Amino acid sequence: MSNTTELADLYSAIEETAGLLDVPCSRERIHPILAAFEDSIAQAIIAFRVSTWARNDGDLDCRIASIPKSVDPLAVAVERGLIEKPTHPSGSLLGELHRDFPVESSGIDFGVVAGFTKTWSFFPTDALQSLSDLIHLESMPPSVAAHLDYFQRYGLADRVSLIGIDYPQQTLNLYFGAAPAQTFTADGIRSILRDAGLPEPTERLLSLCTQAFGIYATLSWNSPRVERITIAAMTQDPMTLPVRIEPKIERYVREAPSLTAEPQFVYAIAATPSGEYHKLQSFYKWKPHVENVLLVSDIG
């Protein structure tokens, strides 16, 4: 399949998915992003995500992962005019990560409305990284070092598998692979949220924990606190999870396009100071090794 055909098919899938959510989709806005990364798309993992968070209302997020480590996704985005070159420390962190740590591959996020927003750096599954090393990077948010003891207390500090950088929001996502089994118990998550200064988990979040595989934290360059703690579960059918699915997400589950032989989803609940919100990621293009990247099989 030619790159032109691949891009056209992907744009059509994005447009169809956006239509399920009544999100306006413009070829003029999306095509330059796809064209900038067209050499990676044929082999990429591609996912779409819908969220109940008010900040994401009216948008559809798209992710292109498995971009070769030789590609600097932020540099590509700046060169193609997808984003202005950041002068904030968030704009320097990606280069420092790729210079000093064994990044295996990269990824990007963009909103159908918002445009280019994030980069992702994936570490090898057999070389998870330690926050005690990462905090020495010059551009790392000070809030990460401030919470080192917190992450160590819960057995997460030496399990960093993935780092996401959100340029418009100036925030950082720390994903922890193969988290201790205690993380996903009611007592575990209550303690994790309480020590982060976040509200008591709802019954929906506690129910999701029973099937969860992943946890990640969001921190900021502009705040000393933990902004969010998110718990995620992988499933082939989100309707079987022990949580209530909003009608908006249910329609998306049933009708979102996919090239995978069997559907794959990640359902997540994020705890924030103002309450919880839900998000669902569907994989348009999936590869079996994604499960290894997510370390699904390694949790207790």
Side-chain angles (χ1 to χ4, degrees), residues 4-17:
T4 301
T5 302
E6 188 99 24
L7 293 191
D9 289 348
L10 178 53
Y11 175 77
S12 294
I14 293 171
E15 186 176 52
E16 179 182 347
T17 307

Side-chain angles (χ1 to χ4, degrees), residues 25-254:
C25 186
S26 163
R27 184 178 298 273
E28 290 71 25
R29 188 162 188 78
I30 301 304
H31 193 269
I33 301 173
L34 302 184
F37 295 94
E38 64 179 327
D39 290 341
S40 301
I41 284 175
Q43 301 301 317
I45 298 160
I46 297 173
F48 306 140
R49 190 178 70 233
V50 60
S51 169
T52 63
W53 198 12
R55 198 181 78 188
N56 288 98
D57 191 34
D59 207 349
L60 169 70
D61 290 325
C62 306
R63 178 166 301 169
I64 299 174
S66 292
I67 295 172
K69 61 182 178 181
S70 59
V71 176
D72 181 331
L74 180 59
V76 171
V78 170
E79 180 184 349
R80 293 297 192 100
L82 306 178
I83 186 175
E84 292 188 8
K85 183 175 178 60
T87 56
H88 185 271
S90 60
S92 305
L93 183 59
L94 185 75
E96 295 171 10
L97 279 171
H98 288 232
R99 180 194 67 206
D100 294 347
F101 290 86
V103 173
E104 188 169 61
S105 64
S106 299
I108 65 163
D109 276 10
F110 61 93
V112 169
V113 175
F116 183 93
T117 55
K118 295 181 183 179
T119 59
W120 298 95
S121 299
F122 296 82
F123 299 124
T125 57
D126 59 354
L128 301 184
Q129 299 300 304
S130 172
L131 283 180
S132 60
D133 296 325
L134 289 161
I135 60 174
H136 295 299
L137 292 176
E138 182 179 355
S139 298
M140 186 65 68
S143 56
V144 178
H147 286 90
L148 179 59
D149 288 347
Y150 166 75
F151 292 117
Q152 289 175 333
R153 190 178 314 133
Y154 291 103
L156 300 172
D158 295 327
R159 301 170 184 259
V160 181
S161 60
L162 168 62
I163 291 181
I165 306 170
D166 186 320
Y167 300 99
Q169 298 299 320
Q170 297 178 350
T171 57
L172 181 84
N173 286 342
L174 296 172
Y175 281 70
F176 303 101
Q182 176 66 16
T183 303
F184 305 107
T185 65
D187 287 344
I189 193 61
R190 284 194 179 101
S191 182
I192 287 170
L193 296 188
R194 181 178 60 248
D195 284 359
L198 295 169
E200 179 79 5
T202 65
E203 287 303 316
R204 292 173 77 179
L205 178 51
L206 294 177
S207 295
L208 186 68
C209 279
T210 63
Q211 296 189 26
F213 74 88
I215 180 171
Y216 68 90
T218 303
L219 297 100
S220 173
W221 276 267
N222 306 314
S223 168
R225 70 186 186 189
V226 174
E227 299 288 309
R228 297 188 295 279
I229 294 290
T230 302
I231 300 294
M234 175 164 277
T235 178
Q236 291 188 333
D237 183 2
M239 308 309 295
T240 65
L241 292 173
V243 295
R244 177 175 59 82
I245 307 291
E246 286 83 355
K248 169 184 177 180
I249 294 181
E250 182 176 352
R251 183 186 178 201
Y252 173 88
V253 168
R254 300 192 184 286

